């Protein structure tokens, strides 16, 4: 079976994941991999027009990795993971969504320059 999209991690996302304990990191990677094959809002949820979040609940902690779609390549659909947080409240912080949007703008500007 072919995944619906390929996931690329930007440096902030990698740094966030590296700070977690092995079990939490494994659970997050498992959920991301699962979301590549299955449409499930509990795993991968749209937050606004451009920003999505990978959602993982592990040991009563809510992990969120922010992402956006890069459809600039003809041969593959990419989901770019910008950064992650350990969510402390019910509502996703607006500043984290804004940060993801800024990273997305910068990324797409750089992609246009390189192509």
């Amino acid at each position: 079976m072919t995944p619906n999209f390929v996931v690329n991690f930007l440096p902030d996302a990698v740094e966030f994941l590296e700070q977690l304990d092995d079990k939490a990191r494994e659970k997050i990677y498992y959920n991301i991999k699962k979301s590549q094959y299955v449409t499930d809002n509990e795993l991968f949820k749209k937050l606004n027009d451009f920003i999505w979040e990978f959602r993982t609940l592990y040991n009563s902690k809510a992990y969120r990795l922010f992402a956006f779609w890069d459809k600039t390549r003809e041969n593959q659909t990419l989901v770019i993971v910008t950064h992650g947080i350990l969510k402390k409240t019910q509502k996703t912080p607006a500043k984290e969504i804004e940060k993801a949007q800024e990273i997305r703008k910068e990324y797409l500007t750089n992609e246009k320059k390189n192509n």
Side-chain angles (χ1 to χ4, degrees):
M1 206 161 102
T2 313
N4 296 320
F5 53 85
V6 174
V7 179
N8 283 354
F9 296 87
L10 295 179
D12 284 358
V14 172
E15 190 177 308
F16 172 75
L17 289 165
E18 286 176 350
Q19 292 173 2
L20 302 176
D21 69 73
D22 291 347
K23 295 268 189 218
R25 187 171 30 298
E26 285 171 22
K27 177 73 173 181
I28 291 168
Y29 280 133
Y30 172 83
N31 282 349
I32 290 171
K33 180 64 87 185
K34 186 175 176 183
S35 70
Q36 289 177 279
Y37 296 93
V38 182
T39 302
D40 182 347
N41 278 345
E42 290 302 310
L43 296 176
F44 191 47
K45 182 179 179 182
K46 187 174 187 175
L47 298 177
N48 66 22
D49 289 344
F50 303 110
I51 304 303
W52 292 64
E53 69 180 356
F54 286 104
R55 303 157 56 98
T56 299
L57 188 62
Y58 178 72
N59 270 354
S60 303
K61 293 180 182 173
Y63 297 93
R64 298 293 185 261
L65 288 168
F66 298 91
F68 62 88
W69 294 84
D70 174 0
K71 297 181 181 177
T72 59
R73 290 173 176 73
E74 290 174 26
N75 57 349
Q76 69 181 164
T77 301
L78 294 175
V79 170
I80 309 298
V81 181
T82 61
H83 69 291
I85 62 167
L86 181 55
K87 206 167 104 175
K88 293 174 173 58
T89 63
Q90 281 297 105
K91 198 162 169 39
T92 300
K95 70 178 175 107
E96 298 298 342
I97 297 170
E98 288 164 19
K99 179 178 177 180
Q101 288 178 164
E102 287 302 313
I103 293 169
R104 175 183 174 272
K105 280 183 202 163
E106 192 178 307
Y107 172 90
L108 293 174
T109 300
N110 289 337
E111 281 298 299
K112 280 182 187 160
K113 285 180 193 170
N114 294 334
N115 289 336

